[in-house]
Amino acid sequence: MTAATHSSPFPQVPDVPDSADAVLEGLDPEQREVATALHGPVCVLAGAGTGKTRAITHRIAYGVRAGILQPASVLGVTFTNRAAGEMRGRLRQLGAGGVQARTFHSAALRQLQYFWPKAVGGDLPRLVERKIQLVAEAAARCRVRLDRNELRDVTGEIEWAKVTQTVPGDYPAVVAKSSRDAPRDAAEISQIYAMYEQLKRDRAMIDFEDVLLLTVGILQDRHDIADHVRSQYQHFVVDEYQDVSPLQQRLLELWLGDRPNLCVVGDASQTIYSFTGATPDHLLNFRTKHPDATVVKLVRDYRSTPQVVHLANGLLNQARGRAAEHRLELISQREAGPEPVYTEYADEPAEAEGTARRIRDLIAAGVPAGEIAVLYRINAQSEVYEQALADAGVPYQLRGAERFFERQEVRKAINALRGAARFGNNDSLLDDVVDLPSQTRAILSGNGWTTQPPAGSGAVRDQWESLAALVGLAEDFAKTKPTATLSDLVSELDERAASQHAPTVQGVTLASLHSAKGLEWDAVFLVGLTEGMMPITYAKTDEQVEEERRLLYVGVTRARVQLGLSWALSRSPGGRASRRPSRFLNGLRPGSSASGGRGASGGGASVERGGRSGGGTGGPARNRRRTSAVCRVCGKTLTDAGEVKLMRCEDCPSDMDEALYERLRDWRAGQAQELGQPAYCVFTDKTLMAIAEAAPGEAGELAVISGVGARKLERFGADVLALCAGQDLEGADEED
């Protein structure tokens, strides 16, 4: 559950304030300063939970209601469709509904579609339907073989190159200079990248990165068009400014021209996406570039208790580097709560079981399951928690990842084990291999498992982690049943898979730390906090290690009240207790000393020793029958079925995300082809438009859209929500 769906700790104001001054009611002094700073460059440094969205939406609304800003002249820029939708909704409630709030890509696509005939002539080239397929073709033409996971990594690398404005010929040198871990040989990727671009040119196609690049090119080359855009948009607000890429920054500069009316909002301590091209440099350099800028710091934390905030501050007090120099010391505005609980376990299964018991106790005490989250560093860690929660009878949902047994590499590996079990002792691969773990390792070595993990991050690493988890399962199974055969192991895996294929329910959230950004829960469990996982093994440089620290900081600040931090001394029961708690906890957890920096006391917290033992929170969302329907734009009563579906008159302006709509249409075409049915049997055009306008972020929001229904929600909901979140279904992992 997000902040948007949870009762807010902020003081409330009337839904539609009756005056400009009324818009300011309920804001704290710093938020009010943001709201009234309507001229010149403004930089808002906003810590986690300090109400930044509240501050900037009230700023826009106050300017509009006071007659200082014209609604059509303001463009609010966010990084997700969900955030843009939330901003539009808040502005409508404040009486400033004419303001545009869009993602960089959505805003650029609208401009590109409008100006292309004038700037270039003809129709805008069509968007690439399935980028990963085109990359696969480019690799094949370069005679480079890529499996599905490598393909996803190379596709991501091409995207990174484009948002950092790196052309194919420069890619190897840029990668070497940046110490970036490329998923393949840099020269190979450069070759595939160049072929990919050639294929797009030959077929008159563009991708989403091209949308930004082409918009930048037109605005640079055509001053008349740039002037046109600048005459329309005169005031800009950019949220999550620490996450802008060089390409997005260039586009913003072209939108702005030489005008000073820019408000940026961000927190360098929440920069966790540098691997995608994001950089906090533009936020950190803002005051240097704009020496006359108004700078406001939001440090009153309305989300978390003093105990959680104390830990978050202590974590950043040990940070190093440029971002750390600009850290914000948060001040909790909430009543005191329980101390964070640090727990050390003997092994990973014990950690998962202990966490599940704590969650079960919280639910029994009245905490809704939907207000609890388990956060981990990589998606491969989810399986043991899926199993533990299932065993404890606790409902859960995975965010940003497939269920463990539904992952392609896991299904393929289990099939390989099943085939070997059927083959008996006639498999030459298993010659001289006696014990079950060794047999499993030998079989999975043909699927990509190696004794040492691959370097770097991405899909190849995630695939290895999944296979390593299966090897670990085999080792654990053999310890409990020494005479077990491959057939026994396959049966065990089938039983585990079957027990976890229950329908999706509103339950405890399991998510990676990256995919938890922007969310919050009453209770958060941060698990697997050992060296090698936090920070992750492949974080080698000081900058990479500091980003890992910031990632943990993001995890800590997701918690409103309850916070648990845990680690296991060994991977499996009976294993050597060789692991150490994360260095980031030094000086924070009781009994430890700060390492290389000022630590923070653990207050009244203590380290426990964990042992081993023998739609909202009210249930799934349902469609609600409406007694009448009115247009959400003009208020007119709706009677036409298509208009009722959209909840607006056909002629009223749409705030649809066109890029999302095109992605939904492309996805629908593929689904229809697979099912052998007409496209409208998946979703009608009107339903797709309604989805693209609402940009739902969770199942409950999708379920109430007319035309979805329970059956289609179960069948297509996960794909639709992933598309709304901006994920690429060909390589869906999340947003790590």
Side-chain angles (χ1 to χ4, degrees):
M1 182 176 291
T2 68
T5 58
H6 187 74
S7 58
S8 172
F10 295 110
Q12 298 297 304
V13 297
D15 283 346
V16 181
D18 58 9
S19 67
D21 288 340
V23 172
L24 302 178
E25 293 178 6
L27 299 181
D28 68 32
E30 293 78 25
Q31 292 171 346
R32 182 180 287 254
E33 185 179 356
V34 173
T36 54
L38 296 172
H39 301 287
V42 178
C43 179
V44 183
L45 301 175
T50 58
K52 65 182 178 66
T53 304
R54 179 179 176 84
I56 59 178
T57 52
H58 281 68
R59 176 184 187 270
I60 295 171
Y62 175 72
V64 169
R65 298 295 296 275
I68 299 171
L69 304 178
Q70 295 301 312
S73 73
V74 181
L75 178 61
V77 185
T78 68
F79 277 79
T80 66
N81 294 319
R82 183 192 185 93
E86 181 184 352
M87 183 179 287
R88 288 193 296 268
R90 292 198 188 196
L91 289 170
R92 282 194 294 267
Q93 289 181 348
L94 294 170
V99 175
Q100 290 289 310
R102 297 187 171 276
T103 65
F104 272 103
H105 283 92
S106 175
L109 182 60
R110 280 174 67 90
Q111 294 175 17
L112 198 59
Q113 289 169 331
Y114 184 82
F115 291 112
W116 186 270
K118 179 179 180 180
V120 181
D123 295 329
L124 179 69
R126 61 192 177 93
L127 286 168
V128 172
E129 294 180 0
R130 298 185 181 277
K131 179 189 294 181
I132 203 163
Q133 290 183 355
L134 200 60
V135 174
E137 183 178 345
R141 293 199 177 197
C142 295
R143 298 186 178 182
V144 177
R145 294 185 58 131
L146 300 175
D147 63 27
R148 183 176 184 272
N149 293 287
E150 291 173 321
L151 190 55
R152 188 185 68 181
D153 287 344
V154 171
T155 301
E157 202 67 7
I158 290 173
E159 291 174 351
W160 173 84
K162 297 185 76 166
V163 300
T164 56
Q165 298 176 281
T166 302
V167 299
D170 293 343
Y171 172 80
V174 171
V175 167
K177 184 177 180 181
S178 64
S179 300
R180 184 176 177 83
D181 287 321
R184 299 275 298 197
D185 178 73
E188 268 188 352
I189 294 178
S190 175
Q191 186 183 14
I192 296 169
Y193 179 14
M195 180 59 69
Y196 168 76
E197 293 296 312
Q198 183 63 51
L199 289 174
K200 285 200 289 98
R201 285 192 295 270
D202 292 344
R203 298 171 188 180
M205 302 173 76
I206 59 174
D207 59 25
F208 276 102
E209 288 70 45
D210 292 327
V211 169
L212 299 183
L213 286 163
L214 290 170
T215 305
V216 164
I218 288 175
L219 295 178
Q220 284 181 159
D221 296 342
R222 292 292 298 268
H223 298 293
D224 56 331
I225 293 177
D227 290 341
H228 186 128
V229 172
R230 291 167 191 160
S231 68
Q232 177 180 0
Y233 295 119
Q234 299 167 22
H235 299 268
F236 296 86
V237 178
V238 184
D239 196 7
E240 303 288 0
Y241 194 56
Q242 77 277 354
D243 288 334
V244 296
S245 69
L247 180 57
Q248 290 166 332
Q249 175 64 22
R250 180 58 185 145
L251 178 59
L252 178 62
E253 291 169 352
L254 289 165
W255 282 340
L256 193 64
D258 58 1
R259 298 166 299 173
N261 297 322
L262 171 65
C263 174
V264 300
V265 188
D267 179 8
S269 296
Q270 296 189 67
T271 304
I272 59 173
Y273 297 116
S274 66
F275 60 90
T276 67
T279 171
D281 289 347
H282 305 297
L283 175 66
L284 299 177
N285 293 336
F286 193 84
R287 284 168 288 183
T288 302
K289 187 174 182 179
H290 304 280
D292 58 336
T294 298
V295 178
V296 184
K297 294 183 178 181
L298 301 183
V299 296
R300 300 175 194 250
D301 188 321
Y302 295 92
R303 176 188 298 160
S304 305
T305 63
Q307 287 75 13
V308 173
V309 168
H310 181 69
L311 174 56
N313 287 336
L315 189 60
L316 289 188
N317 283 344
Q318 300 184 17
R320 295 290 179 266
R322 191 165 178 230
E325 295 170 3
H326 297 266
R327 61 180 172 265
L328 300 168
E329 190 85 8
L330 299 178
I331 305 171
S332 176
Q333 305 299 297
R334 297 192 58 160
E335 294 181 358
E339 291 289 342
V341 176
Y342 299 81
T343 311
E344 182 176 277
Y345 292 94
D347 50 70
E348 287 182 5
E351 184 179 10
E353 291 166 12
T355 302
R357 285 195 301 273
R358 289 179 182 271
I359 290 172
R360 188 176 56 196
D361 292 344
L362 284 176
I363 294 173
V367 179
E371 285 297 340
I372 304 173
V374 178
L375 306 181
Y376 35 75
R377 177 59 180 84
I378 61 173
N379 287 323
Q381 291 172 273
S382 73
E383 190 274 336
V384 67
Y385 292 93
E386 294 175 53
Q387 186 66 49
L389 290 172
D391 290 345
V394 175
Y396 66 89
Q397 56 179 335
L398 279 169
R399 179 179 177 84
E402 298 169 293
R403 290 173 181 265
F404 180 81
F405 287 103
E406 293 175 1
R407 296 171 191 166
Q408 184 186 40
E409 65 268 19
V410 173
R411 293 199 305 268
K412 185 178 177 181
I414 292 175
N415 285 337
L417 292 169
R418 181 175 287 109
R422 284 203 199 102
F423 212 68
N425 296 325
N426 298 320
D427 192 340
S428 60
L429 186 67
L430 302 181
D431 286 348
D432 301 322
V433 178
V434 179
D435 64 286
L436 179 60
S438 296
Q439 290 177 334
T440 303
R441 287 190 288 267
I443 294 165
L444 296 189
S445 65
N447 290 65
W449 181 83
T450 56
T451 55
Q452 295 297 320
S457 57
V460 172
R461 175 75 184 214
D462 287 345
Q463 179 189 35
W464 183 90
E465 296 285 358
S466 295
L467 297 179
L470 287 176
V471 171
L473 282 172
E475 292 171 349
D476 296 342
F477 187 58
K479 287 178 181 177
T480 59
K481 189 176 180 181
T483 60
T485 64
L486 272 176
S487 295
D488 295 329
L489 175 62
V490 170
S491 297
E492 170 72 6
L493 293 173
D494 287 342
E495 289 178 12
R496 285 175 174 251
S499 68
Q500 295 179 37
H501 281 175
T504 301
V505 294
Q506 287 295 324
V508 174
T509 298
L510 298 179
S512 70
L513 287 163
H514 280 99
S515 65
K517 179 77 161 59
L519 304 176
E520 59 184 80
W521 297 269
D522 282 342
V524 170
F525 292 86
L526 303 175
V527 300
L529 301 182
T530 60
E531 284 292 305
M533 193 59 72
M534 178 55 67
I536 199 76
T537 306
Y538 48 79
K540 302 294 186 185
T541 67
D542 291 343
E543 292 81 3
Q544 290 168 338
V545 170
E546 286 305 316
E547 182 154 335
E548 292 287 299
R549 188 194 306 273
R550 294 194 295 269
L551 186 57
L552 181 57
Y553 172 79
V554 166
V556 168
T557 55
R558 300 310 94 194
R560 298 191 190 104
V561 182
Q562 307 269 358
L563 179 62
L565 305 96
S566 63
W567 58 93
L569 297 179
S570 70
R571 189 188 60 75
S572 57
R576 189 163 61 92
S578 58
R579 291 178 170 178
R580 292 180 293 119
S582 168
R583 71 189 76 170
F584 299 147
L585 301 182
N586 290 343
L588 301 175
R589 60 185 176 88
S592 66
S593 60
S595 175
R598 185 165 60 92
S601 167
S606 62
V607 175
E608 299 182 356
R609 297 292 184 268
R612 294 184 61 85
S613 69
T617 58
R622 294 179 175 89
N623 286 317
R624 293 171 174 82
R625 185 179 301 277
R626 301 178 184 271
T627 56
S628 63
V630 296
C631 175
R632 55 189 166 83
V633 180
C634 70
K636 173 185 172 184
T637 299
L638 303 174
T639 56
D640 177 79
E643 292 183 342
V644 170
K645 190 182 292 286
L646 292 175
M647 290 307 295
R648 65 171 173 82
C649 301
E650 195 79 50
D651 297 329
C652 282
S654 166
D655 56 357
M656 182 177 72
D657 185 330
E658 288 88 352
L660 173 57
Y661 180 64
E662 290 302 321
R663 292 200 300 276
L664 288 167
R665 281 176 58 87
D666 293 341
W667 165 82
R668 181 183 66 175
Q671 291 292 320
Q673 184 175 6
E674 287 183 18
L675 297 172
Q677 296 178 343
Y680 66 80
C681 290
V682 180
F683 287 122
T684 65
D685 286 348
K686 282 290 196 302
T687 299
L688 289 189
M689 290 176 67
I691 293 171
E693 289 187 357
E698 58 189 21
E701 297 172 0
L702 178 60
V704 297
I705 295 175
S706 178
V708 177
R711 184 177 61 83
K712 290 187 178 181
L713 178 66
E714 181 176 356
R715 188 168 194 174
F716 304 122
D719 280 2
V720 171
L721 291 173
L723 290 168
C724 290
Q727 297 175 10
D728 184 347
L729 295 181
E730 274 72 32
D733 213 4
E734 177 285 294
E735 153 157 359
D736 268 2

